Amino acid sequence: MRENFDRGSGAIRFAEARRRHGLWAWVVLFLFTGLFASAGPATASSSVIARCELEGVVDAGSGAYLADCVKRAEGQGAQALLVRLDTPGGSLEATRTIVRAFLGSRVPVLVWVGPSGAHAGSAGVFIALASNVSAMAPGTNIGAAHPVGAMGEDVEQDGGEQLARKIENDTVAFAEGIARQRGRNAEWAAAAVRDSASVPADRAVELRVVELVAPTEDAFLSAVEGRRVEVAGGETVTLATRYAQVVSMEPGLSQRVVHALAQPSIVYLLFLVAALGLVVELSHPGAVAPGLVGVVALVLALVASATLPVRSGALVLMLVGVGLIIAELFVTSGLLGASGVGLLILGGVFLVDRFEPGWFVEPSFRLSWGVMLPTAFVLAGAAAFVAYRSAQTRRLPQLGGDAGLVGEAGTALGPVTPSGGEVFVHGERWRAVSFTPIHEGARVVVRAVEGLTLTVAEAMP
């Protein structure tokens, strides 16, 4: 009853204040109400999520980029680092760089494999395992981390039992160590390496490979709201991600260039352009432009090949193939051009060495037929067209020089006899001889040229 009395007294006092102070009471009440109403969302939205992407091959460029993202997120005091992942794998050394950065990060690392259709293949498995929280979009998969040879054969068959066992055991230990540190399924991590195990998103959650299935990044951030994770140094952090502001971090120019060049098709095309440019420059000295283009393409091709497991023998095959196609322009036999096309295709097939111990990529990582075949046949077709036009030109009668005077018509400037005379042909005065006498002013036709003397005959009327 006392409580009811107090409430009633408060209402009376509030009504009395409203009556006395009028409009000012309502203004103050409105301001305080707006302040308290907006305090919750404003506080929640003050946190920042740093965001970066890894799409394509894991190489020196992308490895440096992700490691730099971790440092920048720590420096900015971000609530977490969100990484969108879609990769077939890549350099094992670059993967170790990323894993070290993730495991040593003082901010939580969140990895989302997406969008639908993406995959975390081979080296991508280790990156996803190294995160604090991982999620996958529906229609994605993770796994297939067993090393294979250049044409898809088993490592043991291609490199020997001892080397295969050494590489496999080292990689299994790497995967299991990451999984145990993050509290994930170490047995599956080992199976992904030994047996090329690969699972879709929902199965990955069941096996404790990842924590969530999230169709979008926003759904992922909302789902991990309030989750407690342990970062480097043993500190436990509670995620506040639902209302956080997401800030994207772009790679540097050098990181972007290295990552863009780390594609088998780019290496293939750059070496072809380099070979063509240098051959044209050597065959036409002083042209400058083809040589300059060739040198630039060669430098870029060498940079790109240094970031990929490229076979030097395959590059030699490609260069010989280009040389044979160029030789076809001068021989026009057809055999050299066909051999050149074959060598270009063969070099493309063996270009990527996926068995190289420093790399860890799935079988799909290779130079596609969609790049090799059109490029080889377009180059061969261009060479064949040039050779055909050259052959046509060689069959045409010569129109310049001494031989070009044969068949030309002119006028006798005086009597022309076997002993000599003068004619006017092709706008010039020439000494001429004739087997039959020709009178002055007659029309003549050149039959032969010997030095500076023309052999002519009288033109038929």
Side-chain angles (χ1 to χ4, degrees):
M1 184 171 179
R2 175 57 180 254
E3 181 180 355
N4 292 336
F5 178 78
D6 290 341
R7 287 178 180 175
S9 300
I12 293 173
R13 286 194 297 270
F14 178 77
E16 180 65 20
R18 184 179 62 181
R19 182 180 62 80
R20 290 180 180 179
H21 300 288
L23 180 61
W24 286 108
W26 286 104
V27 171
V28 172
L29 179 63
F30 176 77
L31 291 176
F32 273 96
T33 302
L35 178 63
F36 284 111
S38 61
T43 302
S45 63
S46 62
S47 60
V48 173
I49 301 292
R51 178 185 181 276
C52 59
E53 296 184 359
L54 173 53
E55 184 171 357
V57 181
V58 180
D59 51 56
S62 56
Y65 166 54
L66 287 186
D68 185 53
C69 283
V70 173
K71 294 180 181 178
R72 290 161 63 184
E74 292 175 343
Q76 296 174 4
Q79 171 66 207
L81 173 64
L82 174 64
V83 180
R84 184 180 76 83
L85 183 64
D86 181 11
T87 177
S91 168
L92 188 56
E93 183 59 34
T95 302
R96 290 185 182 275
T97 299
I98 296 172
V99 169
R100 283 194 297 267
F102 283 10
L103 296 181
S105 174
R106 296 193 302 272
V107 299
V109 179
L110 315 176
V111 169
W112 179 66
V113 182
S116 296
H119 66 314
S122 198
V125 174
F126 306 109
I127 296 174
L129 291 175
S131 65
N132 295 97
V133 185
S134 289
M136 298 173 64
T140 59
N141 67 286
I142 184 172
H146 183 66
V148 295
M151 299 302 294
E153 67 271 16
D154 189 82
V155 172
E156 183 174 333
Q157 298 175 2
D158 193 42
E161 181 180 356
Q162 295 301 322
L163 178 60
R165 185 175 301 172
K166 177 181 178 180
I167 294 175
E168 184 177 286
N169 290 340
D170 181 69
T171 310
V172 167
F174 183 38
E176 287 181 330
I178 300 171
R180 288 196 176 97
Q181 182 169 346
R182 291 306 194 193
R184 295 193 170 96
N185 191 335
E187 293 182 1
W188 181 90
V193 177
R194 287 199 174 99
D195 306 321
S196 294
S198 181
V199 292
D202 53 351
R203 182 62 176 158
V205 174
E206 294 176 7
L207 293 173
R208 293 187 300 109
V209 178
V210 301
E211 284 72 31
L212 301 165
V213 175
T216 63
E217 295 179 14
D218 289 339
F220 179 29
L221 295 177
S222 296
V224 299
E225 171 74 21
R227 185 183 289 262
R228 295 171 62 83
V229 297
E230 183 177 324
V231 297
E235 181 183 357
T236 301
V237 177
T238 301
L239 296 176
T241 55
R242 181 172 297 165
Y243 300 106
Q245 178 186 2
V246 178
V247 178
S248 295
M249 295 182 176
E250 299 298 329
L253 180 60
S254 61
Q255 298 166 355
R256 195 189 303 270
V257 170
V258 172
H259 185 60
L261 292 176
Q263 301 293 333
S265 58
I266 298 297
V267 176
Y268 185 76
L269 294 175
L270 284 175
F271 267 105
L272 291 184
V273 171
L276 288 172
L278 294 177
V279 167
V280 172
E281 181 65 30
L282 292 175
S283 60
H284 298 80
V288 179
L292 181 61
V293 171
V295 169
V296 172
L298 180 61
V299 172
L300 292 177
L302 293 175
V303 172
S305 62
T307 62
L308 289 176
V310 173
R311 284 188 173 94
S312 58
L315 297 179
V316 172
L317 288 176
M318 292 165 52
L319 293 176
V320 173
V322 172
L324 291 178
I325 292 177
I326 296 296
E328 180 66 28
L329 300 177
F330 304 96
V331 180
T332 64
S333 66
L335 180 60
L336 294 180
S339 300
V341 171
L343 290 180
L344 284 181
I345 295 175
L346 192 61
V349 170
F350 290 103
L351 181 63
V352 178
D353 181 10
R354 289 181 285 106
F355 175 63
E356 186 175 327
W359 278 74
F360 207 61
V361 290
E362 63 178 15
S364 65
F365 182 70
R366 63 182 65 182
L367 183 60
S368 67
W369 292 100
V371 173
M372 278 191 298
L373 292 181
T375 303
F377 285 114
V378 166
L379 184 58
F385 176 75
V386 173
Y388 172 73
R389 295 296 297 173
S390 299
Q392 279 187 326
T393 302
R394 283 196 292 268
R395 287 195 294 266
L396 294 175
Q398 185 172 342
L399 301 178
D402 293 346
L405 290 174
V406 177
E408 287 284 337
T411 305
L413 297 178
V416 180
T417 64
S419 60
E422 284 190 338
V423 294
F424 188 78
V425 178
H426 210 269
E428 299 173 322
R429 297 171 66 97
W430 289 85
R431 184 177 183 276
V433 296
S434 174
F435 296 111
T436 59
I438 301 175
H439 60 86
E440 181 180 355
R443 297 288 295 172
V444 297
V445 177
V446 179
R447 298 302 186 192
V449 179
E450 184 177 353
L452 298 178
T453 302
L454 307 182
T455 300
V456 299
E458 188 172 358
M460 299 298 294

